Amino acid sequence: MKIIFSILISLLCIFNYTQTIITGKVIDKNTGLPIEGVEITTLDSNKNFTNSEGKYYLYYTGGVINFNHLYYQDKEISDIKDHTTISLTPLEMTDIDEIVVKSPKLIVEEAFKEMKNNYVLFPYSESFFLRGTIKQNNELLRIVDLTGQIHRKTSFLTSTIKKNKYKASVSNIRKAGKVFSSNKIEYVNLLTLKEILYQATLIGIECKNYNFYKGENIDSLYTKIYFTAKENINNPREGFYIINNTDNAILSVYYHSKNDRNSGLPFTSKYGFKWRTMNYNIAVSYSYNSSLKKYTQSNCVYKYNVELLDRNNKRTVYDLDYQLLLSNPTTSDITSNTSVTKEIFKIEGAYNEEFWKKQNQLLLTEEMKKFINSLQDNKEYKAILSK
C-alpha cells in the first residue's frame, strides 16, 4: 500500500509540473526601441534570444528569469506574465579621464596574447541554432533554420594549429524560399556551414596596420577599444573590442568594412555576370564555461550585401544575414550526418512541424511569417517550403 501511495504522489507531482508559454518584448528603457540579441536564461538553463523585433518566446515553469545583454544592466524577473514588455537600462559609462589605463594598442595586444589561455584550443562540440536569410532588393528570397550539433578542432588557429576541422549533425531543418528557373541568382547563394563558422573566428587584426582609441569603461569591469585601419591596407576594417579587465579576455568584437574604401572593389565575372561584396559587418560574443574553464563562442551575427550586374548590366543588390547561436559546449564527439561544405539552403534533413512550433531560441519576424505564407509556384520560380 505504501508503494502504491508513493507512486500516486509521484504521478501527481509530474502532472502538476506544468509549462506556461510566455511571449513578450525587450526594449531600451531610454529610447523604447527593441533590443536584438538579449540572452534570456531560465532556472532550467534554457537559453533564448530576442529577434530583431525584440520579441521572445519562453516555456516557463516558474522561478527567476535573467535578461542579459552586454550593453545593458542585467535584469531578473520572477513570476513573469504573458505579453510582458521588459525594459533594460543601458550601462552607465565611466568617465575615462578619471581612470589611469594602459595604451589602447597594448590592451588589445595583451588580449591577443592571452587567447591561448582564455579560449578552447582543443576539440569540442556544442549545440547550435543557425538562421540564414537572403533578400533581393530588400525583399525576402530565402530563409533557412538549422539546429543540431557541431564539432570543431579548435576555437582559433594558432602557430601550431594551422587548420580547423568541422563536422555537423543536423537534427531539424526548416526552409522557405524561391528557386528561379533561370540562373538569375546562380552566383549569390547563402554560405556553407563551414564558411559561416570560419567567418566567426576572424576576430584578430594585424595591430601594426591599425590605429586604436580608448573607449568607455563599462561599470569598471570591461574596456571598449575602438580600432580603424590605416591607409592603403587590404580589407580595411573598423570596429571595437570589449575586453574583460580581469583576465584580458575578449568578450565581444564588432567590425565592419570601411564604406569609403569598399565602393571601389573590383567585380568578379563569370558567364556574363559580375558581382562584388559592397559592405559587411560581424559581431561575435563569448561566454565563460565553468566546466571547460574556458571561454567559448555564444553567438555570432554576420551580415553583408552583394551587388550583381546581369548580362544586360541590370543592377540587383542582395542582403545576406546569418545568426548563429551556440550553447552547451562539451568535449564529447558527434556523429556527422551532413556536409559542412554544402550551401546551407541545399542541406537536406528532417522537418518536424511540432518541433518548429515549440522552437523558441529565435522567433520568426512578422516579415518572415508573411513571406512564408505567401509562397507559391509561378512562372518565374519554384517555391521551396518545408513540410
Side-chain angles (χ1 to χ4, degrees), residues 70-71 200 203 250-253 283-287 296-301 326:
L70 192 56
Y71 306 137
I203 70 169
I250 296 172
L251 301 180
S252 182
V253 57
V284 185
S285 295
Y286 299 86
S287 58
T296 60
Q297 192 179 120
S298 57
N299 61 77
C300 171
V301 177
L326 299 162

Side-chain angles (χ1 to χ4, degrees), residues 129-356:
F129 176 99
L130 172 66
R131 172 168 294 163
T133 64
I134 181 170
K135 288 185 176 182
Q136 179 189 51
N137 293 332
N138 291 321
E139 294 188 1
L140 274 170
L141 197 63
R142 293 176 182 173
I143 304 170
V144 58
D145 286 346
L146 301 171
T147 67
Q149 290 185 302
I150 58 172
H151 181 85
R152 65 180 92 200
K153 183 178 179 181
T154 178
S155 294
F156 301 105
L157 300 182
T158 68
S159 57
T160 57
I161 307 174
K162 303 293 186 181
K163 187 177 181 180
N164 212 337
K165 292 183 179 180
Y166 304 100
K167 57 182 177 179
S169 175
V170 174
S171 55
N172 283 284
I173 184 169
R174 169 176 63 183
K175 54 186 172 181
K178 303 173 182 178
V179 176
F180 289 85
S181 55
S182 68
N183 289 332
K184 188 173 183 180
I185 59 168
E186 181 70 22
Y187 304 108
V188 186
N189 288 318
L190 291 162
L191 295 177
T192 68
L193 189 54
K194 181 180 179 180
E195 289 170 327
I196 297 166
L197 292 170
Y198 174 70
Q199 285 292 332
T201 69
L202 301 180
I203 70 169
I205 55 177
E206 193 73 29
C207 289
K208 67 181 181 180
N209 294 328
Y210 285 81
N211 295 314
F212 296 89
Y213 306 93
K214 179 68 171 60
E216 306 90 348
N217 272 64
I218 306 174
D219 276 6
S220 301
L221 299 176
Y222 319 117
T223 298
K224 181 186 283 188
I225 303 293
Y226 293 94
F227 60 88
T228 184
K230 296 178 180 179
E231 297 295 328
N232 302 318
I233 73 164
N234 294 325
N235 190 22
R237 307 172 181 176
E238 58 185 5
F240 62 82
Y241 293 103
I242 293 182
I243 299 172
N244 188 315
N245 294 335
T246 303
D247 56 14
N248 296 320
I250 296 172
L251 301 180
S252 182
V253 57
Y254 168 82
Y255 63 82
H256 61 265
S257 55
K258 299 194 72 170
N259 297 333
D260 56 330
R261 303 182 194 180
N262 239 16
S263 57
L265 284 178
F267 283 94
T268 298
S269 301
K270 193 172 184 179
Y271 301 133
F273 290 87
K274 296 192 297 184
W275 67 94
R276 63 178 177 178
T277 300
M278 295 294 292
N279 298 284
Y280 64 85
N281 64 76
I282 186 166
V284 185
S285 295
Y286 299 86
S287 58
Y288 185 79
N289 182 269
S290 57
S291 297
L292 299 179
K293 296 182 179 180
K294 300 284 184 180
Y295 288 90
T296 60
Q297 192 179 120
S298 57
N299 61 77
C300 171
V301 177
Y302 177 39
K303 301 181 181 184
Y304 62 97
N305 52 53
V306 175
E307 178 185 27
L308 181 140
L309 302 179
D310 67 11
R311 296 183 179 96
N312 298 316
N313 219 35
K314 182 181 177 181
R315 181 177 185 267
T316 305
V317 175
Y318 296 91
D319 298 298
L320 296 100
D321 187 327
Y322 307 92
Q323 297 182 68
L324 176 65
L325 311 178
L326 299 162
S327 60
N328 305 319
T330 173
T331 54
S332 300
D333 201 354
I334 66 170
T335 300
S336 174
N337 66 1
T338 191
S339 170
V340 295
T341 59
K342 182 180 288 188
E343 191 258 327
I344 58 173
F345 194 79
K346 295 179 181 179
I347 291 177
E348 299 296 334
Y351 171 73
N352 185 320
E353 185 176 3
E354 287 303 311
F355 172 84
W356 291 109

